[in-house]
Amino acid sequence: PYTTLFRSEERSEALAASAWAEAVAGSVEEAERLLAELGTAVGGNDDLRVYDIGHARALTLMRQGRFVESYGPSIAAGDAILRAGRPDLTYGCWANAASAATAAGEHERGLEFLDRGTAAIAGHGLQGLEVHLLAARSFVLRGLGRLADANRAAEQERSLAEQLSQ
């Protein structure tokens, strides 16, 4: 039983990784097929699985131009992976959600997602990721016409990048 469970968890993780890869740069149809297969696969419903499925699902929806629909899976994935103790992986969830919101013309919602990402990585020594979130913040603020705020975010980004020698 233990080896069967272990194999099914490995298989589930492999399916999720393949779905993510297809969602990012491959076939959206293949990503959908893999996600459907993953939904029927035996495996736990732990936070890592929620993250794997949600992150891949959100990216698939974004590739289809279904930006608003991608929020739910991104939120579920970001919350789950933070509960799992991986704040480094929350970055992608919140940055992607912010990108989707910006693409949908919901800039304020994009800022909310960026705030969640910043809060998730705070105090974990992930300043390299913070640089990217500040860049995204500047971009979203610029889209809102809040140029002084955008410039402040860009200045914070530059300052932090210099501290990190990036």
Side-chain angles (χ1 to χ4, degrees), residues 82-151:
L82 188 59
R83 284 190 305 271
R86 293 295 308 269
D88 57 317
L89 294 179
T90 64
Y91 159 79
C93 299
W94 302 119
N96 288 332
S99 295
T102 302
E106 296 184 1
H107 293 79
E108 292 293 342
R109 187 76 191 263
L111 290 174
E112 291 171 15
F113 289 137
L114 292 171
D115 288 342
R116 289 185 76 169
T118 300
I121 66 170
H124 293 284
L126 299 169
Q127 292 90 348
L129 296 178
E130 186 180 347
V131 168
H132 297 294
L133 290 172
L134 286 165
R137 175 172 296 286
S138 179
F139 178 81
V140 174
L141 288 166
R142 186 178 55 107
L144 283 168
R146 294 171 46 187
L147 300 181
D149 292 335
N151 285 335

Side-chain angles (χ1 to χ4, degrees), residues 151-166:
N151 285 335
R152 274 191 291 282
E155 179 55 34
Q156 289 175 317
E157 173 196 1
R158 183 194 60 75
S159 177
L160 184 54
E162 284 179 355
Q163 290 174 21
L164 298 171
S165 299
Q166 289 187 350

Side-chain angles (χ1 to χ4, degrees), residues 19-128:
W20 177 87
E22 291 293 341
V24 170
S27 163
V28 172
E29 293 77 20
E30 181 63 7
E32 288 283 1
R33 187 192 70 72
L34 290 165
L35 285 166
E37 187 175 344
L38 186 58
T40 62
V42 175
N45 197 21
D46 65 355
D47 286 329
L48 293 176
R49 183 176 168 92
V50 171
Y51 165 77
D52 284 338
I53 293 171
H55 195 49
R57 169 73 56 214
L59 292 167
T60 300
L61 291 166
M62 288 175 68
R63 287 270 312 276
Q64 295 170 335
R66 297 163 59 189
F67 300 113
V68 173
E69 289 177 64
S70 75
Y71 300 170
S74 284
I75 292 167
D79 288 343
I81 202 63
L82 188 59
R83 284 190 305 271
R86 293 295 308 269
D88 57 317
L89 294 179
T90 64
Y91 159 79
C93 299
W94 302 119
N96 288 332
S99 295
T102 302
E106 296 184 1
H107 293 79
E108 292 293 342
R109 187 76 191 263
L111 290 174
E112 291 171 15
F113 289 137
L114 292 171
D115 288 342
R116 289 185 76 169
T118 300
I121 66 170
H124 293 284
L126 299 169
Q127 292 90 348

